[in-house]
Amino acid sequence: NLKAVQGMKITGRVTLPGAGGGGGMEIPMTIITKRPNRFRQESEFQGQKIVVGFDGTKAWMINPMMGQAGPQAIEGPRLDMVKQQADLDGPLVDYKAKGTTIEVQGVETVDGKKVHKLKVTPKTGRPVTLYLDAETGLEAKTVMEAPAEAAGPGAPAAMLESVFSNYQAVVNLTMPHTIQQKANGQVLQINIDKIELSPGVDDSQFAMPAGSPAAPKQ
Protein backbone atom coordinates (compact mmCIF):
# COMPACT_ATOMS: atom_id res chain seq x y z
CA ASN A 1 0.00 0.00 0.00
CA LEU A 2 2.80 2.41 0.86
CA LYS A 3 4.63 1.76 -2.41
CA ALA A 4 1.52 2.88 -4.31
CA VAL A 5 1.66 6.31 -2.64
CA GLN A 6 3.52 8.80 -4.84
CA GLY A 7 3.63 11.59 -2.31
CA MET A 8 2.40 12.71 1.09
CA LYS A 9 1.46 16.02 2.74
CA ILE A 10 1.39 16.21 6.53
CA THR A 11 -0.09 19.23 8.31
CA GLY A 12 0.28 19.63 12.04
CA ARG A 13 1.55 21.58 15.02
CA VAL A 14 4.73 21.39 17.10
CA THR A 15 4.14 22.19 20.77
CA LEU A 16 7.10 23.56 22.73
CA PRO A 17 6.96 23.46 26.55
CA GLY A 18 6.55 26.74 28.38
CA ALA A 19 8.74 28.06 31.17
CA GLY A 20 8.37 26.09 34.41
CA GLY A 21 6.47 23.35 32.61
CA GLY A 22 3.50 25.59 31.86
CA GLY A 23 1.58 25.99 28.61
CA GLY A 24 3.88 26.14 25.63
CA MET A 25 3.99 27.62 22.15
CA GLU A 26 2.47 26.00 19.07
CA ILE A 27 4.33 26.18 15.77
CA PRO A 28 2.40 25.35 12.55
CA MET A 29 4.23 22.79 10.41
CA THR A 30 3.81 21.27 6.95
CA ILE A 31 5.88 18.37 5.56
CA ILE A 32 5.67 17.28 1.91
CA THR A 33 7.42 14.21 0.50
CA LYS A 34 7.34 13.00 -3.09
CA ARG A 35 8.97 10.17 -4.97
CA PRO A 36 11.79 9.86 -5.66
CA ASN A 37 13.41 11.30 -2.52
CA ARG A 38 11.97 14.81 -2.53
CA PHE A 39 11.24 16.62 0.71
CA ARG A 40 10.04 20.01 1.93
CA GLN A 41 9.29 21.14 5.47
CA GLU A 42 7.84 24.52 6.41
CA SER A 43 7.22 25.96 9.86
CA GLU A 44 6.51 29.42 11.22
CA PHE A 45 8.07 30.75 14.43
CA GLN A 46 7.57 34.27 15.77
CA GLY A 47 6.32 35.43 12.39
CA GLN A 48 9.34 34.01 10.52
CA LYS A 49 9.04 31.17 8.00
CA ILE A 50 11.63 28.38 8.22
CA VAL A 51 11.95 26.08 5.18
CA VAL A 52 14.04 22.96 4.54
CA GLY A 53 14.02 21.47 1.02
CA PHE A 54 15.59 18.55 -0.85
CA ASP A 55 15.24 17.94 -4.61
CA GLY A 56 16.79 14.48 -4.58
CA THR A 57 20.30 15.86 -5.00
CA LYS A 58 20.68 19.18 -3.20
CA ALA A 59 19.37 20.13 0.24
CA TRP A 60 18.84 23.70 1.37
CA MET A 61 17.41 25.80 4.18
CA ILE A 62 15.88 29.22 4.74
CA ASN A 63 16.11 30.15 8.42
CA PRO A 64 15.86 33.86 9.34
CA MET A 65 16.15 32.86 13.04
CA MET A 66 19.81 31.96 12.38
CA GLY A 67 20.55 35.26 10.67
CA GLN A 68 20.40 33.87 7.13
CA ALA A 69 19.71 36.49 4.49
CA GLY A 70 18.53 33.86 1.98
CA PRO A 71 18.60 30.15 1.15
CA GLN A 72 21.69 28.22 2.26
CA ALA A 73 22.86 24.84 0.97
CA ILE A 74 22.97 21.98 3.49
CA GLU A 75 25.91 19.57 3.53
CA GLY A 76 27.64 17.11 5.86
CA PRO A 77 25.72 15.29 8.63
CA ARG A 78 22.70 17.57 8.25
CA LEU A 79 22.40 16.51 4.60
CA ASP A 80 22.37 12.83 5.64
CA MET A 81 19.47 13.52 8.01
CA VAL A 82 17.45 15.31 5.31
CA LYS A 83 18.01 12.40 2.92
CA GLN A 84 16.65 9.98 5.50
CA GLN A 85 13.57 12.19 6.00
CA ALA A 86 13.00 12.22 2.23
CA ASP A 87 12.65 8.43 2.04
CA LEU A 88 8.87 8.03 1.81
CA ASP A 89 9.05 4.28 2.50
CA GLY A 90 11.12 4.52 5.67
CA PRO A 91 14.17 2.41 6.55
CA LEU A 92 12.61 -1.08 6.48
CA VAL A 93 10.99 -1.29 3.03
CA ASP A 94 13.42 -2.88 0.53
CA TYR A 95 16.21 -2.42 3.08
CA LYS A 96 18.53 -4.95 1.38
CA ALA A 97 18.29 -3.16 -1.97
CA LYS A 98 19.18 0.10 -0.20
CA GLY A 99 22.32 -1.47 1.30
CA THR A 100 20.88 -1.26 4.82
CA THR A 101 21.76 -3.83 7.48
CA ILE A 102 19.42 -4.81 10.32
CA GLU A 103 20.43 -6.43 13.60
CA VAL A 104 17.72 -7.92 15.84
CA GLN A 105 18.61 -7.00 19.44
CA GLY A 106 15.90 -8.79 21.38
CA VAL A 107 12.60 -7.93 23.03
CA GLU A 108 11.96 -4.99 25.36
CA THR A 109 8.99 -3.06 26.78
CA VAL A 110 7.87 0.44 25.74
CA ASP A 111 4.93 2.03 27.58
CA GLY A 112 3.89 -1.38 28.88
CA LYS A 113 3.93 -3.03 25.44
CA LYS A 114 6.25 -5.75 24.21
CA VAL A 115 8.43 -4.53 21.34
CA HIS A 116 11.12 -5.95 19.05
CA LYS A 117 14.34 -3.92 19.12
CA LEU A 118 16.13 -3.52 15.77
CA LYS A 119 19.37 -1.67 15.01
CA VAL A 120 19.10 -0.31 11.48
CA THR A 121 22.32 0.86 9.81
CA PRO A 122 21.87 2.54 6.39
CA LYS A 123 24.54 2.53 3.70
CA THR A 124 24.96 6.27 4.31
CA GLY A 125 23.63 8.31 7.18
CA ARG A 126 23.09 7.69 10.87
CA PRO A 127 22.11 4.33 12.41
CA VAL A 128 18.70 4.26 14.10
CA THR A 129 17.26 1.89 16.69
CA LEU A 130 13.65 0.93 15.99
CA TYR A 131 11.23 -0.50 18.53
CA LEU A 132 8.37 -2.30 16.74
CA ASP A 133 5.17 -3.28 18.54
CA ALA A 134 5.32 -7.08 18.78
CA GLU A 135 1.57 -7.38 18.18
CA THR A 136 0.96 -4.89 15.38
CA GLY A 137 4.42 -4.38 13.84
CA LEU A 138 3.95 -0.60 14.07
CA GLU A 139 6.77 1.69 15.24
CA ALA A 140 6.50 2.42 18.96
CA LYS A 141 9.76 4.35 19.28
CA THR A 142 12.96 5.29 17.44
CA VAL A 143 16.30 6.42 18.89
CA MET A 144 19.14 7.97 16.89
CA GLU A 145 22.09 10.29 17.44
CA ALA A 146 21.53 13.76 16.04
CA PRO A 147 24.91 15.31 15.18
CA ALA A 148 25.77 18.67 16.70
CA GLU A 149 25.81 20.25 13.22
CA ALA A 150 22.16 19.30 12.70
CA ALA A 151 21.02 21.15 15.82
CA GLY A 152 22.68 24.41 14.84
CA PRO A 153 25.86 26.29 15.77
CA GLY A 154 27.09 25.61 19.28
CA ALA A 155 24.59 22.84 19.98
CA PRO A 156 25.89 19.56 21.45
CA ALA A 157 25.23 16.16 19.89
CA ALA A 158 22.21 14.43 21.41
CA MET A 159 20.28 11.20 21.35
CA LEU A 160 16.94 11.96 19.69
CA GLU A 161 14.12 9.76 20.97
CA SER A 162 10.77 9.75 19.14
CA VAL A 163 7.71 7.99 20.61
CA PHE A 164 4.79 7.32 18.24
CA SER A 165 1.14 7.01 19.29
CA ASN A 166 -2.44 7.84 18.29
CA TYR A 167 -2.30 5.62 15.19
CA GLN A 168 -5.19 6.26 12.78
CA ALA A 169 -6.25 4.93 9.39
CA VAL A 170 -5.29 7.11 6.40
CA VAL A 171 -7.00 5.47 3.41
CA ASN A 172 -5.31 2.03 3.46
CA LEU A 173 -2.35 2.97 5.69
CA THR A 174 -2.06 3.17 9.48
CA MET A 175 -0.07 6.19 10.63
CA PRO A 176 0.78 7.91 13.92
CA HIS A 177 -0.82 11.27 14.63
CA THR A 178 1.10 12.08 17.83
CA ILE A 179 4.91 12.07 18.10
CA GLN A 180 6.79 13.02 21.24
CA GLN A 181 10.46 13.87 20.82
CA LYS A 182 13.15 14.13 23.50
CA ALA A 183 16.72 15.44 23.11
CA ASN A 184 19.16 17.10 25.52
CA GLY A 185 16.53 17.09 28.25
CA GLN A 186 14.06 19.01 26.05
CA VAL A 187 10.67 17.56 25.13
CA LEU A 188 8.37 18.63 22.30
CA GLN A 189 5.22 17.11 20.86
CA ILE A 190 4.08 16.93 17.24
CA ASN A 191 0.31 16.72 16.73
CA ILE A 192 -0.71 15.81 13.19
CA ASP A 193 -4.02 17.27 12.03
CA LYS A 194 -4.18 15.95 8.46
CA ILE A 195 -2.34 13.52 6.16
CA GLU A 196 -2.99 13.68 2.41
CA LEU A 197 -1.76 10.92 0.11
CA SER A 198 -0.41 11.78 -3.38
CA PRO A 199 -1.33 15.50 -3.16
CA GLY A 200 0.13 16.32 -6.61
CA VAL A 201 2.81 18.83 -5.65
CA ASP A 202 4.96 20.40 -8.39
CA ASP A 203 8.68 19.53 -8.33
CA SER A 204 9.58 23.23 -8.18
CA GLN A 205 8.55 23.21 -4.51
CA PHE A 206 11.64 21.13 -3.66
CA ALA A 207 14.24 23.02 -5.71
CA MET A 208 16.68 25.45 -4.14
CA PRO A 209 15.72 29.02 -5.11
CA ALA A 210 17.92 30.51 -7.82
CA GLY A 211 20.84 32.67 -6.81
CA SER A 212 21.35 30.90 -3.47
CA PRO A 213 24.74 31.27 -1.74
CA ALA A 214 27.22 28.42 -1.80
CA ALA A 215 27.17 25.92 1.05
CA PRO A 216 29.23 26.91 4.09
CA LYS A 217 32.17 24.67 4.93
CA GLN A 218 31.46 22.07 7.60
Side-chain angles (χ1 to χ4, degrees):
N1 290 342
L2 185 57
K3 283 186 174 183
V5 176
Q6 295 304 304
M8 191 177 298
K9 181 178 181 180
I10 298 174
T11 306
R13 295 158 286 121
V14 180
T15 302
L16 303 176
M25 177 184 297
E26 279 196 342
I27 300 173
M29 177 194 71
T30 302
I31 296 175
I32 302 173
T33 50
K34 182 180 180 180
R35 297 186 191 276
N37 300 322
R38 290 175 171 84
F39 173 85
R40 181 184 177 99
Q41 177 176 317
E42 290 188 13
S43 56
E44 188 171 321
F45 183 67
Q46 296 181 346
Q48 303 284 346
K49 181 179 285 189
I50 301 169
V51 184
V52 175
F54 181 60
D55 63 3
T57 304
K58 296 180 180 179
W60 52 276
M61 171 186 283
I62 299 173
N63 189 351
M65 306 300 294
M66 295 176 64
Q68 295 180 357
Q72 300 283 337
I74 296 174
E75 292 188 343
R78 296 174 68 192
L79 174 58
D80 290 335
M81 290 191 70
V82 174
K83 286 180 178 178
Q84 286 176 272
Q85 290 177 289
D87 184 356
L88 188 62
D89 293 326
L92 298 182
V93 175
D94 294 334
Y95 74 93
K96 289 184 179 179
K98 296 174 183 175
T100 298
T101 59
I102 296 179
E103 177 187 351
V104 181
Q105 296 187 327
V107 177
E108 295 190 10
T109 301
V110 172
D111 293 336
K113 294 183 179 181
K114 183 172 143 182
V115 296
H116 296 289
K117 181 180 179 181
L118 308 177
K119 182 179 180 181
V120 180
T121 305
K123 188 175 181 180
T124 59
R126 297 271 167 155
V128 58
T129 302
L130 300 184
Y131 297 82
L132 303 182
D133 188 300
E135 182 178 348
T136 65
L138 299 172
E139 289 184 4
K141 182 172 77 170
T142 65
V143 178
M144 70 179 296
E145 182 181 1
E149 298 93 330
M159 296 307 297
L160 175 63
E161 177 181 300
S162 301
V163 178
F164 304 90
S165 60
N166 189 20
Y167 274 89
Q168 299 178 29
V170 181
V171 189
N172 53 8
L173 302 177
T174 304
M175 305 191 66
H177 283 63
T178 302
I179 305 169
Q180 186 181 77
Q181 293 190 331
K182 302 176 184 178
N184 279 340
Q186 301 295 316
V187 180
L188 61 81
Q189 182 163 302
I190 301 170
N191 296 302
I192 295 172
D193 299 317
K194 186 178 182 181
I195 300 178
E196 302 171 63
L197 304 184
S198 303
V201 179
D202 190 87
D203 285 351
S204 62
Q205 293 289 306
F206 309 99
M208 182 184 239
S212 302
K217 294 182 179 179
Q218 298 294 317

